[in-house]
């Protein structure tokens, strides 16, 4: 059985899915797509009648990577793109654990380090 990595990208009402045979290919596409979406981040305040959400508090896109097992993936990780264009790496699905970048590291390299 071949390893398969699934990438799911959620941006607004749109959901994109892709499957990759190797982790480096999946990470390359994840990073490429996150750069694109960070550039499209609206950067505006969302003001509801109950609360005001600043752009850095809003998750406008979520990129999730799961694999290599097909039915119950042992790895779940990804990136959140915020309304101000910032990107945060995380591990887990239900309980998200933020991956803090080391000094001089980007969220993309922090995610790669955590998955290595």
């Amino acid at each position: 059985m071949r390893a398969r990595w699934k990438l799911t990208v959620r941006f607004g009402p749109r959901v994109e899915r892709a499957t990759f045979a190797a982790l480096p290919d999946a990470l390359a596409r994840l990073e490429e797509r996150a750069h694109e979406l960070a550039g499209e981040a609206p950067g505006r305040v969302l003001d509801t009648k109950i609360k005001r959400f600043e752009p850095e508090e809003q998750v406008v896109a979520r990129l999730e990577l799961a694999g290599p097992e097909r039915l119950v993936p042992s790895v779940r990780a990804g990136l959140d793109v915020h309304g101000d264009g910032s990107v945060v790496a995380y591990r887990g699905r239900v309980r998200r654990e933020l991956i803090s970048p080391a000094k001089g590291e980007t969220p993309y390299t922090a995610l790669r380090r955590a998955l290595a």
Side-chain angles (χ1 to χ4, degrees), residues 1-115:
M1 186 169 126
R2 292 184 343 210
R4 299 177 106 192
W5 293 90
K6 293 182 182 180
L7 174 62
T8 305
V9 179
R10 293 179 177 87
F11 182 65
R14 295 174 293 199
V15 177
E16 304 167 10
R17 291 182 177 86
T19 305
F20 300 90
L23 179 60
D25 297 333
L27 286 170
R29 180 62 183 146
L30 176 107
E31 183 174 345
E32 177 185 317
R33 194 68 180 112
H35 279 295
E36 293 170 5
L37 294 171
E40 296 177 23
R44 63 177 178 262
V45 174
L46 180 63
D47 197 7
T48 64
K49 293 182 184 197
I50 299 170
K51 187 175 177 185
R52 178 183 169 102
F53 296 95
E54 296 298 323
E56 61 272 5
E57 296 175 309
Q58 302 170 34
V59 175
V60 296
R62 177 161 285 153
L63 298 90
E64 297 176 317
L65 189 61
E69 295 83 14
R70 187 170 167 221
L71 296 176
V72 183
S74 60
V75 175
R76 290 193 179 267
L79 299 168
D80 283 343
V81 178
H82 292 257
D84 62 349
S86 63
V87 179
V88 177
Y90 67 88
R91 270 190 101 141
R93 185 171 189 184
V94 176
R95 289 186 178 181
R96 293 187 198 285
E97 174 187 326
L98 294 182
I99 302 170
S100 299
K103 187 175 181 180
E105 204 175 40
T106 66
Y108 310 108
T109 53
L111 181 63
R112 287 178 189 274
R113 175 181 42 84
L115 295 179

